[in-house]
PDB file of all heavy atoms in Angstrom:
ATOM      1  N   THR Z   1      98.082 -32.140  30.094  1.00 98.00           N
ATOM      2  CA  THR Z   1      98.579 -33.386  30.642  1.00 98.00           C
ATOM      3  C   THR Z   1      99.452 -34.071  29.609  1.00 98.00           C
ATOM      4  O   THR Z   1      99.442 -33.805  28.406  1.00 98.00           O
ATOM      5  CB  THR Z   1      97.438 -34.317  30.978  1.00 98.00           C
ATOM      6  OG1 THR Z   1      96.642 -34.616  29.781  1.00 98.00           O
ATOM      7  CG2 THR Z   1      96.559 -33.768  32.012  1.00 98.00           C
ATOM      8  N   ALA Z   2     100.308 -34.979  30.202  1.00 96.00           N
ATOM      9  CA  ALA Z   2     101.128 -35.910  29.378  1.00 96.00           C
ATOM     10  C   ALA Z   2     101.315 -37.214  30.199  1.00 96.00           C
ATOM     11  O   ALA Z   2     102.397 -37.705  30.312  1.00 96.00           O
ATOM     12  CB  ALA Z   2     102.479 -35.315  28.942  1.00 96.00           C
ATOM     13  N   ASP Z   3     100.226 -37.674  30.795  1.00 97.00           N
ATOM     14  CA  ASP Z   3     100.181 -38.902  31.630  1.00 97.00           C
ATOM     15  C   ASP Z   3      99.225 -38.603  32.791  1.00 97.00           C
ATOM     16  O   ASP Z   3      98.473 -39.506  33.226  1.00 97.00           O
ATOM     17  CB  ASP Z   3     101.443 -39.398  32.194  1.00 97.00           C
ATOM     18  CG  ASP Z   3     102.269 -40.261  31.177  1.00 97.00           C
ATOM     19  OD1 ASP Z   3     101.613 -40.816  30.213  1.00 97.00           O
ATOM     20  OD2 ASP Z   3     103.470 -40.399  31.317  1.00 97.00           O
ATOM     21  N   CYS Z   4      99.288 -37.396  33.392  1.00 98.00           N
ATOM     22  CA  CYS Z   4      98.419 -37.172  34.578  1.00 98.00           C
ATOM     23  C   CYS Z   4      96.949 -37.193  34.131  1.00 98.00           C
ATOM     24  O   CYS Z   4      96.617 -37.095  32.996  1.00 98.00           O
ATOM     25  CB  CYS Z   4      98.827 -35.753  35.114  1.00 98.00           C
ATOM     26  SG  CYS Z   4     100.396 -35.658  35.939  1.00 98.00           S
ATOM     27  N   LEU Z   5      96.060 -37.270  35.199  1.00 98.00           N
ATOM     28  CA  LEU Z   5      94.611 -37.413  34.954  1.00 98.00           C
ATOM     29  C   LEU Z   5      94.084 -36.036  34.575  1.00 98.00           C
ATOM     30  O   LEU Z   5      94.276 -35.043  35.440  1.00 98.00           O
ATOM     31  CB  LEU Z   5      93.927 -37.943  36.106  1.00 98.00           C
ATOM     32  CG  LEU Z   5      93.760 -39.411  36.248  1.00 98.00           C
ATOM     33  CD1 LEU Z   5      95.143 -40.115  36.320  1.00 98.00           C
ATOM     34  CD2 LEU Z   5      93.037 -39.828  37.511  1.00 98.00           C
ATOM     35  N   PRO Z   6      93.322 -35.888  33.516  1.00 98.00           N
ATOM     36  CA  PRO Z   6      92.528 -34.726  33.266  1.00 98.00           C
ATOM     37  C   PRO Z   6      91.111 -35.029  33.649  1.00 98.00           C
ATOM     38  O   PRO Z   6      90.477 -35.953  33.142  1.00 98.00           O
ATOM     39  CB  PRO Z   6      92.644 -34.478  31.736  1.00 98.00           C
ATOM     40  CG  PRO Z   6      92.858 -35.809  31.203  1.00 98.00           C
ATOM     41  CD  PRO Z   6      93.443 -36.676  32.318  1.00 98.00           C
ATOM     42  N   ILE Z   7      90.565 -34.324  34.674  1.00 98.00           N
ATOM     43  CA  ILE Z   7      89.185 -34.646  35.173  1.00 98.00           C
ATOM     44  C   ILE Z   7      88.307 -33.489  34.943  1.00 98.00           C
ATOM     45  O   ILE Z   7      88.548 -32.329  35.408  1.00 98.00           O
ATOM     46  CB  ILE Z   7      89.353 -34.910  36.748  1.00 98.00           C
ATOM     47  CG1 ILE Z   7      90.449 -36.047  36.921  1.00 98.00           C
ATOM     48  CG2 ILE Z   7      88.052 -35.313  37.319  1.00 98.00           C
ATOM     49  CD1 ILE Z   7      91.017 -36.058  38.262  1.00 98.00           C
ATOM     50  N   LEU Z   8      87.156 -33.742  34.318  1.00 98.00           N
ATOM     51  CA  LEU Z   8      86.160 -32.702  34.073  1.00 98.00           C
ATOM     52  C   LEU Z   8      84.973 -33.014  34.933  1.00 98.00           C
ATOM     53  O   LEU Z   8      84.437 -34.189  34.962  1.00 98.00           O
ATOM     54  CB  LEU Z   8      85.763 -32.768  32.559  1.00 98.00           C
ATOM     55  CG  LEU Z   8      86.843 -32.627  31.536  1.00 98.00           C
ATOM     56  CD1 LEU Z   8      86.278 -32.649  30.146  1.00 98.00           C
ATOM     57  CD2 LEU Z   8      87.626 -31.289  31.759  1.00 98.00           C
ATOM     58  N   ILE Z   9      84.408 -31.933  35.625  1.00 98.00           N
ATOM     59  CA  ILE Z   9      83.265 -32.128  36.515  1.00 98.00           C
ATOM     60  C   ILE Z   9      82.231 -31.172  36.032  1.00 98.00           C
ATOM     61  O   ILE Z   9      82.497 -29.959  35.771  1.00 98.00           O
ATOM     62  CB  ILE Z   9      83.656 -31.774  37.982  1.00 98.00           C
ATOM     63  CG1 ILE Z   9      84.840 -32.699  38.442  1.00 98.00           C
ATOM     64  CG2 ILE Z   9      82.423 -31.968  38.867  1.00 98.00           C
ATOM     65  CD1 ILE Z   9      85.299 -32.365  39.795  1.00 98.00           C
ATOM     66  N   PHE Z  10      80.969 -31.649  35.889  1.00 98.00           N
ATOM     67  CA  PHE Z  10      79.923 -30.788  35.461  1.00 98.00           C
ATOM     68  C   PHE Z  10      78.729 -31.054  36.398  1.00 98.00           C
ATOM     69  O   PHE Z  10      78.289 -32.203  36.639  1.00 98.00           O
ATOM     70  CB  PHE Z  10      79.488 -31.135  34.063  1.00 98.00           C
ATOM     71  CG  PHE Z  10      78.270 -30.369  33.618  1.00 98.00           C
ATOM     72  CD1 PHE Z  10      78.246 -29.045  33.506  1.00 98.00           C
ATOM     73  CD2 PHE Z  10      77.037 -31.033  33.337  1.00 98.00           C
ATOM     74  CE1 PHE Z  10      77.167 -28.237  33.024  1.00 98.00           C
ATOM     75  CE2 PHE Z  10      75.956 -30.337  32.941  1.00 98.00           C
ATOM     76  CZ  PHE Z  10      75.967 -28.953  32.826  1.00 98.00           C
ATOM     77  N   ASP Z  11      78.172 -29.962  36.964  1.00 98.00           N
ATOM     78  CA  ASP Z  11      77.008 -29.951  37.866  1.00 98.00           C
ATOM     79  C   ASP Z  11      75.805 -29.627  36.948  1.00 98.00           C
ATOM     80  O   ASP Z  11      75.635 -28.494  36.487  1.00 98.00           O
ATOM     81  CB  ASP Z  11      77.232 -28.870  38.904  1.00 98.00           C
ATOM     82  CG  ASP Z  11      75.963 -28.705  39.760  1.00 98.00           C
ATOM     83  OD1 ASP Z  11      74.921 -29.283  39.548  1.00 98.00           O
ATOM     84  OD2 ASP Z  11      76.105 -27.963  40.802  1.00 98.00           O
ATOM     85  N   ALA Z  12      75.015 -30.665  36.645  1.00 98.00           N
ATOM     86  CA  ALA Z  12      73.929 -30.447  35.727  1.00 98.00           C
ATOM     87  C   ALA Z  12      72.864 -29.578  36.234  1.00 98.00           C
ATOM     88  O   ALA Z  12      71.982 -29.040  35.439  1.00 98.00           O
ATOM     89  CB  ALA Z  12      73.315 -31.846  35.368  1.00 98.00           C
ATOM     90  N   ARG Z  13      72.717 -29.359  37.581  1.00 98.00           N
ATOM     91  CA  ARG Z  13      71.722 -28.455  38.202  1.00 98.00           C
ATOM     92  C   ARG Z  13      72.125 -26.992  38.072  1.00 98.00           C
ATOM     93  O   ARG Z  13      71.256 -26.156  37.713  1.00 98.00           O
ATOM     94  CB  ARG Z  13      71.461 -28.895  39.558  1.00 98.00           C
ATOM     95  CG  ARG Z  13      70.350 -28.088  40.289  1.00 98.00           C
ATOM     96  CD  ARG Z  13      70.069 -28.635  41.703  1.00 98.00           C
ATOM     97  NE  ARG Z  13      71.227 -28.492  42.511  1.00 98.00           N
ATOM     98  CZ  ARG Z  13      71.431 -27.373  43.238  1.00 98.00           C
ATOM     99  NH1 ARG Z  13      70.519 -26.366  43.218  1.00 98.00           N
ATOM    100  NH2 ARG Z  13      72.466 -27.290  44.014  1.00 98.00           N
ATOM    101  N   THR Z  14      73.355 -26.723  38.503  1.00 97.00           N
ATOM    102  CA  THR Z  14      73.724 -25.245  38.511  1.00 97.00           C
ATOM    103  C   THR Z  14      74.598 -24.873  37.264  1.00 97.00           C
ATOM    104  O   THR Z  14      74.791 -23.629  36.988  1.00 97.00           O
ATOM    105  CB  THR Z  14      74.577 -24.959  39.735  1.00 97.00           C
ATOM    106  OG1 THR Z  14      75.838 -25.666  39.590  1.00 97.00           O
ATOM    107  CG2 THR Z  14      73.808 -25.428  41.058  1.00 97.00           C
ATOM    108  N   ARG Z  15      74.961 -25.897  36.476  1.00 97.00           N
ATOM    109  CA  ARG Z  15      75.911 -25.708  35.353  1.00 97.00           C
ATOM    110  C   ARG Z  15      77.279 -25.196  35.747  1.00 97.00           C
ATOM    111  O   ARG Z  15      78.046 -24.791  34.939  1.00 97.00           O
ATOM    112  CB  ARG Z  15      75.271 -24.859  34.273  1.00 97.00           C
ATOM    113  CG  ARG Z  15      74.038 -25.361  33.685  1.00 97.00           C
ATOM    114  CD  ARG Z  15      73.641 -24.827  32.376  1.00 97.00           C
ATOM    115  NE  ARG Z  15      74.479 -25.017  31.248  1.00 97.00           N
ATOM    116  CZ  ARG Z  15      74.492 -26.163  30.514  1.00 97.00           C
ATOM    117  NH1 ARG Z  15      73.713 -27.127  30.758  1.00 97.00           N
ATOM    118  NH2 ARG Z  15      75.416 -26.306  29.531  1.00 97.00           N
ATOM    119  N   ALA Z  16      77.665 -25.337  37.069  1.00 97.00           N
ATOM    120  CA  ALA Z  16      79.033 -25.081  37.440  1.00 97.00           C
ATOM    121  C   ALA Z  16      79.874 -26.219  36.895  1.00 97.00           C
ATOM    122  O   ALA Z  16      79.359 -27.371  36.644  1.00 97.00           O
ATOM    123  CB  ALA Z  16      79.089 -25.062  38.928  1.00 97.00           C
ATOM    124  N   ARG Z  17      81.107 -25.951  36.632  1.00 98.00           N
ATOM    125  CA  ARG Z  17      82.017 -26.951  36.077  1.00 98.00           C
ATOM    126  C   ARG Z  17      83.434 -26.724  36.508  1.00 98.00           C
ATOM    127  O   ARG Z  17      83.828 -25.664  36.898  1.00 98.00           O
ATOM    128  CB  ARG Z  17      81.836 -27.014  34.514  1.00 98.00           C
ATOM    129  CG  ARG Z  17      82.072 -25.702  33.897  1.00 98.00           C
ATOM    130  CD  ARG Z  17      81.371 -25.557  32.622  1.00 98.00           C
ATOM    131  NE  ARG Z  17      81.513 -24.279  32.000  1.00 98.00           N
ATOM    132  CZ  ARG Z  17      80.791 -23.199  32.235  1.00 98.00           C
ATOM    133  NH1 ARG Z  17      79.720 -23.335  33.136  1.00 98.00           N
ATOM    134  NH2 ARG Z  17      80.936 -22.043  31.636  1.00 98.00           N
ATOM    135  N   ALA Z  18      84.226 -27.775  36.348  1.00 98.00           N
ATOM    136  CA  ALA Z  18      85.649 -27.664  36.682  1.00 98.00           C
ATOM    137  C   ALA Z  18      86.407 -28.577  35.809  1.00 98.00           C
ATOM    138  O   ALA Z  18      86.039 -29.537  35.230  1.00 98.00           O
ATOM    139  CB  ALA Z  18      85.808 -28.196  38.208  1.00 98.00           C
ATOM    140  N   ALA Z  19      87.758 -28.125  35.645  1.00 98.00           N
ATOM    141  CA  ALA Z  19      88.764 -28.880  35.010  1.00 98.00           C
ATOM    142  C   ALA Z  19      89.885 -29.097  35.958  1.00 98.00           C
ATOM    143  O   ALA Z  19      90.471 -28.101  36.468  1.00 98.00           O
ATOM    144  CB  ALA Z  19      89.216 -28.253  33.707  1.00 98.00           C
ATOM    145  N   VAL Z  20      90.329 -30.344  36.139  1.00 98.00           N
ATOM    146  CA  VAL Z  20      91.299 -30.665  37.246  1.00 98.00           C
ATOM    147  C   VAL Z  20      92.454 -31.437  36.681  1.00 98.00           C
ATOM    148  O   VAL Z  20      92.198 -32.369  35.864  1.00 98.00           O
ATOM    149  CB  VAL Z  20      90.584 -31.475  38.409  1.00 98.00           C
ATOM    150  CG1 VAL Z  20      91.588 -31.692  39.459  1.00 98.00           C
ATOM    151  CG2 VAL Z  20      89.367 -30.841  38.887  1.00 98.00           C
ATOM    152  N   HIS Z  21      93.683 -31.049  37.046  1.00 98.00           N
ATOM    153  CA  HIS Z  21      94.821 -31.750  36.703  1.00 98.00           C
ATOM    154  C   HIS Z  21      95.359 -32.549  37.902  1.00 98.00           C
ATOM    155  O   HIS Z  21      95.567 -31.919  39.002  1.00 98.00           O
ATOM    156  CB  HIS Z  21      95.936 -30.773  36.199  1.00 98.00           C
ATOM    157  CG  HIS Z  21      97.397 -31.339  36.217  1.00 98.00           C
ATOM    158  ND1 HIS Z  21      98.279 -30.981  37.211  1.00 98.00           N
ATOM    159  CD2 HIS Z  21      97.947 -32.108  35.344  1.00 98.00           C
ATOM    160  CE1 HIS Z  21      99.408 -31.560  36.950  1.00 98.00           C
ATOM    161  NE2 HIS Z  21      99.274 -32.255  35.853  1.00 98.00           N
ATOM    162  N   ALA Z  22      95.520 -33.806  37.801  1.00 98.00           N
ATOM    163  CA  ALA Z  22      95.949 -34.546  38.968  1.00 98.00           C
ATOM    164  C   ALA Z  22      96.956 -35.688  38.657  1.00 98.00           C
ATOM    165  O   ALA Z  22      96.678 -36.720  37.934  1.00 98.00           O
ATOM    166  CB  ALA Z  22      94.587 -35.326  39.625  1.00 98.00           C
ATOM    167  N   GLY Z  23      98.157 -35.401  39.080  1.00 97.00           N
ATOM    168  CA  GLY Z  23      99.220 -36.501  39.128  1.00 97.00           C
ATOM    169  C   GLY Z  23      99.148 -37.155  40.497  1.00 97.00           C
ATOM    170  O   GLY Z  23      98.131 -37.026  41.226  1.00 97.00           O
ATOM    171  N   TRP Z  24     100.223 -37.830  40.855  1.00 98.00           N
ATOM    172  CA  TRP Z  24     100.109 -38.511  42.082  1.00 98.00           C
ATOM    173  C   TRP Z  24     100.121 -37.568  43.257  1.00 98.00           C
ATOM    174  O   TRP Z  24      99.448 -37.819  44.274  1.00 98.00           O
ATOM    175  CB  TRP Z  24     101.239 -39.608  42.238  1.00 98.00           C
ATOM    176  CG  TRP Z  24     102.695 -39.140  42.495  1.00 98.00           C
ATOM    177  CD1 TRP Z  24     103.598 -38.944  41.582  1.00 98.00           C
ATOM    178  CD2 TRP Z  24     103.246 -38.761  43.729  1.00 98.00           C
ATOM    179  NE1 TRP Z  24     104.833 -38.533  42.150  1.00 98.00           N
ATOM    180  CE2 TRP Z  24     104.584 -38.405  43.514  1.00 98.00           C
ATOM    181  CE3 TRP Z  24     102.788 -38.657  45.094  1.00 98.00           C
ATOM    182  CZ2 TRP Z  24     105.459 -38.022  44.481  1.00 98.00           C
ATOM    183  CZ3 TRP Z  24     103.565 -38.315  46.114  1.00 98.00           C
ATOM    184  CH2 TRP Z  24     104.962 -37.961  45.787  1.00 98.00           C
ATOM    185  N   ARG Z  25     100.857 -36.437  43.177  1.00 98.00           N
ATOM    186  CA  ARG Z  25     100.841 -35.462  44.268  1.00 98.00           C
ATOM    187  C   ARG Z  25      99.366 -34.885  44.460  1.00 98.00           C
ATOM    188  O   ARG Z  25      98.908 -34.788  45.590  1.00 98.00           O
ATOM    189  CB  ARG Z  25     101.858 -34.387  44.013  1.00 98.00           C
ATOM    190  CG  ARG Z  25     103.223 -34.909  44.088  1.00 98.00           C
ATOM    191  CD  ARG Z  25     104.291 -33.862  43.825  1.00 98.00           C
ATOM    192  NE  ARG Z  25     105.737 -34.358  43.929  1.00 98.00           N
ATOM    193  CZ  ARG Z  25     106.302 -34.967  42.910  1.00 98.00           C
ATOM    194  NH1 ARG Z  25     105.651 -35.209  41.742  1.00 98.00           N
ATOM    195  NH2 ARG Z  25     107.567 -35.330  43.086  1.00 98.00           N
ATOM    196  N   GLY Z  26      98.804 -34.425  43.423  1.00 98.00           N
ATOM    197  CA  GLY Z  26      97.512 -33.856  43.512  1.00 98.00           C
ATOM    198  C   GLY Z  26      96.497 -34.883  43.960  1.00 98.00           C
ATOM    199  O   GLY Z  26      95.506 -34.513  44.735  1.00 98.00           O
ATOM    200  N   THR Z  27      96.532 -36.062  43.510  1.00 98.00           N
ATOM    201  CA  THR Z  27      95.623 -37.165  43.880  1.00 98.00           C
ATOM    202  C   THR Z  27      95.779 -37.404  45.391  1.00 98.00           C
ATOM    203  O   THR Z  27      94.801 -37.537  46.159  1.00 98.00           O
ATOM    204  CB  THR Z  27      95.886 -38.466  43.134  1.00 98.00           C
ATOM    205  OG1 THR Z  27      95.818 -38.150  41.787  1.00 98.00           O
ATOM    206  CG2 THR Z  27      94.897 -39.585  43.565  1.00 98.00           C
ATOM    207  N   LEU Z  28      97.069 -37.436  45.890  1.00 98.00           N
ATOM    208  CA  LEU Z  28      97.322 -37.719  47.252  1.00 98.00           C
ATOM    209  C   LEU Z  28      96.776 -36.525  48.141  1.00 98.00           C
ATOM    210  O   LEU Z  28      96.307 -36.740  49.291  1.00 98.00           O
ATOM    211  CB  LEU Z  28      98.818 -37.841  47.478  1.00 98.00           C
ATOM    212  CG  LEU Z  28      99.253 -38.492  48.806  1.00 98.00           C
ATOM    213  CD1 LEU Z  28      98.885 -39.893  48.958  1.00 98.00           C
ATOM    214  CD2 LEU Z  28     100.812 -38.273  48.959  1.00 98.00           C
ATOM    215  N   ALA Z  29      96.843 -35.336  47.588  1.00 98.00           N
ATOM    216  CA  ALA Z  29      96.263 -34.142  48.341  1.00 98.00           C
ATOM    217  C   ALA Z  29      94.778 -34.030  48.164  1.00 98.00           C
ATOM    218  O   ALA Z  29      94.137 -33.069  48.711  1.00 98.00           O
ATOM    219  CB  ALA Z  29      96.917 -32.896  47.759  1.00 98.00           C
ATOM    220  N   ARG Z  30      94.162 -34.987  47.485  1.00 98.00           N
ATOM    221  CA  ARG Z  30      92.689 -35.043  47.341  1.00 98.00           C
ATOM    222  C   ARG Z  30      92.144 -33.771  46.652  1.00 98.00           C
ATOM    223  O   ARG Z  30      91.181 -33.185  47.022  1.00 98.00           O
ATOM    224  CB  ARG Z  30      92.025 -35.286  48.692  1.00 98.00           C
ATOM    225  CG  ARG Z  30      92.347 -36.592  49.261  1.00 98.00           C
ATOM    226  CD  ARG Z  30      91.553 -36.872  50.611  1.00 98.00           C
ATOM    227  NE  ARG Z  30      91.917 -38.328  51.115  1.00 98.00           N
ATOM    228  CZ  ARG Z  30      91.134 -39.362  50.749  1.00 98.00           C
ATOM    229  NH1 ARG Z  30      90.153 -39.204  49.991  1.00 98.00           N
ATOM    230  NH2 ARG Z  30      91.473 -40.508  51.306  1.00 98.00           N
ATOM    231  N   ILE Z  31      92.788 -33.434  45.525  1.00 98.00           N
ATOM    232  CA  ILE Z  31      92.354 -32.211  44.849  1.00 98.00           C
ATOM    233  C   ILE Z  31      90.940 -32.344  44.316  1.00 98.00           C
ATOM    234  O   ILE Z  31      90.189 -31.320  44.241  1.00 98.00           O
ATOM    235  CB  ILE Z  31      93.337 -31.858  43.695  1.00 98.00           C
ATOM    236  CG1 ILE Z  31      93.061 -30.551  43.148  1.00 98.00           C
ATOM    237  CG2 ILE Z  31      93.417 -32.968  42.643  1.00 98.00           C
ATOM    238  CD1 ILE Z  31      94.157 -29.973  42.150  1.00 98.00           C
ATOM    239  N   VAL Z  32      90.486 -33.548  43.913  1.00 98.00           N
ATOM    240  CA  VAL Z  32      89.134 -33.670  43.437  1.00 98.00           C
ATOM    241  C   VAL Z  32      88.120 -33.441  44.474  1.00 98.00           C
ATOM    242  O   VAL Z  32      87.109 -32.722  44.297  1.00 98.00           O
ATOM    243  CB  VAL Z  32      88.933 -35.062  42.697  1.00 98.00           C
ATOM    244  CG1 VAL Z  32      87.538 -35.395  42.497  1.00 98.00           C
ATOM    245  CG2 VAL Z  32      89.808 -35.210  41.476  1.00 98.00           C
ATOM    246  N   GLU Z  33      88.320 -33.940  45.693  1.00 98.00           N
ATOM    247  CA  GLU Z  33      87.340 -33.668  46.797  1.00 98.00           C
ATOM    248  C   GLU Z  33      87.392 -32.154  47.102  1.00 98.00           C
ATOM    249  O   GLU Z  33      86.321 -31.593  47.395  1.00 98.00           O
ATOM    250  CB  GLU Z  33      87.855 -34.521  48.029  1.00 98.00           C
ATOM    251  CG  GLU Z  33      87.505 -36.019  47.921  1.00 98.00           C
ATOM    252  CD  GLU Z  33      87.785 -36.738  49.296  1.00 98.00           C
ATOM    253  OE1 GLU Z  33      87.322 -36.277  50.267  1.00 98.00           O
ATOM    254  OE2 GLU Z  33      88.528 -37.698  49.222  1.00 98.00           O
ATOM    255  N   LYS Z  34      88.574 -31.583  47.045  1.00 98.00           N
ATOM    256  CA  LYS Z  34      88.653 -30.168  47.360  1.00 98.00           C
ATOM    257  C   LYS Z  34      87.895 -29.336  46.268  1.00 98.00           C
ATOM    258  O   LYS Z  34      87.259 -28.288  46.616  1.00 98.00           O
ATOM    259  CB  LYS Z  34      90.042 -29.735  47.565  1.00 98.00           C
ATOM    260  CG  LYS Z  34      90.696 -30.351  48.805  1.00 98.00           C
ATOM    261  CD  LYS Z  34      92.203 -30.048  48.939  1.00 98.00           C
ATOM    262  CE  LYS Z  34      92.809 -30.749  50.223  1.00 98.00           C
ATOM    263  NZ  LYS Z  34      94.244 -30.515  50.276  1.00 98.00           N
ATOM    264  N   THR Z  35      87.974 -29.777  45.100  1.00 98.00           N
ATOM    265  CA  THR Z  35      87.298 -29.040  44.020  1.00 98.00           C
ATOM    266  C   THR Z  35      85.792 -29.100  44.198  1.00 98.00           C
ATOM    267  O   THR Z  35      85.056 -28.176  44.120  1.00 98.00           O
ATOM    268  CB  THR Z  35      87.656 -29.617  42.641  1.00 98.00           C
ATOM    269  OG1 THR Z  35      89.126 -29.550  42.507  1.00 98.00           O
ATOM    270  CG2 THR Z  35      86.955 -28.905  41.524  1.00 98.00           C
ATOM    271  N   LEU Z  36      85.240 -30.326  44.546  1.00 98.00           N
ATOM    272  CA  LEU Z  36      83.821 -30.516  44.769  1.00 98.00           C
ATOM    273  C   LEU Z  36      83.392 -29.724  45.952  1.00 98.00           C
ATOM    274  O   LEU Z  36      82.305 -29.135  46.035  1.00 98.00           O
ATOM    275  CB  LEU Z  36      83.495 -31.981  44.898  1.00 98.00           C
ATOM    276  CG  LEU Z  36      83.474 -32.716  43.599  1.00 98.00           C
ATOM    277  CD1 LEU Z  36      83.427 -34.263  43.890  1.00 98.00           C
ATOM    278  CD2 LEU Z  36      82.279 -32.361  42.753  1.00 98.00           C
ATOM    279  N   ASP Z  37      84.263 -29.603  47.031  1.00 98.00           N
ATOM    280  CA  ASP Z  37      83.857 -28.861  48.169  1.00 98.00           C
ATOM    281  C   ASP Z  37      83.814 -27.334  47.874  1.00 98.00           C
ATOM    282  O   ASP Z  37      82.889 -26.613  48.283  1.00 98.00           O
ATOM    283  CB  ASP Z  37      84.967 -29.077  49.324  1.00 98.00           C
ATOM    284  CG  ASP Z  37      84.904 -30.444  49.901  1.00 98.00           C
ATOM    285  OD1 ASP Z  37      83.858 -31.129  49.634  1.00 98.00           O
ATOM    286  OD2 ASP Z  37      85.828 -30.786  50.603  1.00 98.00           O
ATOM    287  N   LEU Z  38      84.793 -26.858  47.055  1.00 98.00           N
ATOM    288  CA  LEU Z  38      84.679 -25.436  46.575  1.00 98.00           C
ATOM    289  C   LEU Z  38      83.443 -25.195  45.799  1.00 98.00           C
ATOM    290  O   LEU Z  38      82.751 -24.186  45.925  1.00 98.00           O
ATOM    291  CB  LEU Z  38      85.926 -25.048  45.793  1.00 98.00           C
ATOM    292  CG  LEU Z  38      85.971 -23.686  45.208  1.00 98.00           C
ATOM    293  CD1 LEU Z  38      85.976 -22.615  46.325  1.00 98.00           C
ATOM    294  CD2 LEU Z  38      87.240 -23.570  44.287  1.00 98.00           C
ATOM    295  N   MET Z  39      83.156 -26.149  44.850  1.00 98.00           N
ATOM    296  CA  MET Z  39      81.882 -25.959  43.993  1.00 98.00           C
ATOM    297  C   MET Z  39      80.680 -25.903  44.898  1.00 98.00           C
ATOM    298  O   MET Z  39      79.737 -25.158  44.628  1.00 98.00           O
ATOM    299  CB  MET Z  39      81.809 -27.067  42.965  1.00 98.00           C
ATOM    300  CG  MET Z  39      82.906 -27.018  41.911  1.00 98.00           C
ATOM    301  SD  MET Z  39      82.918 -28.421  40.787  1.00 98.00           S
ATOM    302  CE  MET Z  39      81.458 -28.136  39.926  1.00 98.00           C
ATOM    303  N   ALA Z  40      80.644 -26.722  45.919  1.00 98.00           N
ATOM    304  CA  ALA Z  40      79.521 -26.772  46.873  1.00 98.00           C
ATOM    305  C   ALA Z  40      79.353 -25.425  47.610  1.00 98.00           C
ATOM    306  O   ALA Z  40      78.328 -24.863  47.769  1.00 98.00           O
ATOM    307  CB  ALA Z  40      79.686 -27.884  47.913  1.00 98.00           C
ATOM    308  N   SER Z  41      80.526 -24.885  48.016  1.00 98.00           N
ATOM    309  CA  SER Z  41      80.459 -23.596  48.827  1.00 98.00           C
ATOM    310  C   SER Z  41      80.124 -22.457  48.009  1.00 98.00           C
ATOM    311  O   SER Z  41      79.465 -21.441  48.392  1.00 98.00           O
ATOM    312  CB  SER Z  41      81.763 -23.370  49.611  1.00 98.00           C
ATOM    313  OG  SER Z  41      82.874 -23.190  48.736  1.00 98.00           O
ATOM    314  N   ARG Z  42      80.657 -22.407  46.755  1.00 97.00           N
ATOM    315  CA  ARG Z  42      80.503 -21.266  45.890  1.00 97.00           C
ATOM    316  C   ARG Z  42      79.124 -21.254  45.101  1.00 97.00           C
ATOM    317  O   ARG Z  42      78.536 -20.250  44.817  1.00 97.00           O
ATOM    318  CB  ARG Z  42      81.675 -21.091  44.862  1.00 97.00           C
ATOM    319  CG  ARG Z  42      82.997 -20.762  45.560  1.00 97.00           C
ATOM    320  CD  ARG Z  42      82.935 -19.400  46.165  1.00 97.00           C
ATOM    321  NE  ARG Z  42      82.841 -18.367  45.117  1.00 97.00           N
ATOM    322  CZ  ARG Z  42      83.919 -17.721  44.672  1.00 97.00           C
ATOM    323  NH1 ARG Z  42      85.131 -18.001  45.059  1.00 97.00           N
ATOM    324  NH2 ARG Z  42      83.726 -16.751  43.731  1.00 97.00           N
ATOM    325  N   PHE Z  43      78.826 -22.521  44.613  1.00 97.00           N
ATOM    326  CA  PHE Z  43      77.690 -22.627  43.710  1.00 97.00           C
ATOM    327  C   PHE Z  43      76.548 -23.488  44.180  1.00 97.00           C
ATOM    328  O   PHE Z  43      75.567 -23.608  43.471  1.00 97.00           O
ATOM    329  CB  PHE Z  43      78.182 -23.078  42.354  1.00 97.00           C
ATOM    330  CG  PHE Z  43      79.376 -22.336  41.737  1.00 97.00           C
ATOM    331  CD1 PHE Z  43      80.633 -22.991  41.540  1.00 97.00           C
ATOM    332  CD2 PHE Z  43      79.354 -21.020  41.520  1.00 97.00           C
ATOM    333  CE1 PHE Z  43      81.677 -22.260  41.073  1.00 97.00           C
ATOM    334  CE2 PHE Z  43      80.417 -20.236  41.021  1.00 97.00           C
ATOM    335  CZ  PHE Z  43      81.588 -20.957  40.846  1.00 97.00           C
ATOM    336  N   GLY Z  44      76.685 -24.038  45.327  1.00 98.00           N
ATOM    337  CA  GLY Z  44      75.681 -24.994  45.840  1.00 98.00           C
ATOM    338  C   GLY Z  44      75.618 -26.348  45.207  1.00 98.00           C
ATOM    339  O   GLY Z  44      74.663 -27.017  45.152  1.00 98.00           O
ATOM    340  N   THR Z  45      76.772 -26.688  44.631  1.00 98.00           N
ATOM    341  CA  THR Z  45      76.873 -28.069  43.941  1.00 98.00           C
ATOM    342  C   THR Z  45      76.668 -29.197  44.960  1.00 98.00           C
ATOM    343  O   THR Z  45      77.203 -29.163  46.115  1.00 98.00           O
ATOM    344  CB  THR Z  45      78.346 -28.206  43.247  1.00 98.00           C
ATOM    345  OG1 THR Z  45      78.353 -27.247  42.214  1.00 98.00           O
ATOM    346  CG2 THR Z  45      78.510 -29.616  42.774  1.00 98.00           C
TER     347      THR Z  45
END
């Protein structure tokens, strides 16, 4: 990053984790929600 948001997600139960890069386009596309949805489907987050 060099201004965009660096977002770290940690699931304390399954230990799944994610690193997300979100500028305005990624934020508008709801990349964080989609990341959590993927973690839920793949790891039960």
Side-chain angles (χ1 to χ4, degrees):
T1 60
D3 277 337
C4 293
L5 272 59
I7 304 157
L8 304 180
I9 303 172
F10 176 64
D11 176 351
R13 184 176 63 88
T14 69
R15 298 194 68 82
R17 53 207 178 273
V20 184
H21 162 257
W24 73 260
R25 291 177 180 84
T27 303
L28 195 67
R30 295 183 176 269
I31 188 171
V32 168
E33 286 186 52
K34 291 173 182 177
T35 300
L36 284 165
D37 290 346
L38 177 62
M39 293 172 70
S41 65
R42 293 294 293 265
F43 309 118
T45 292

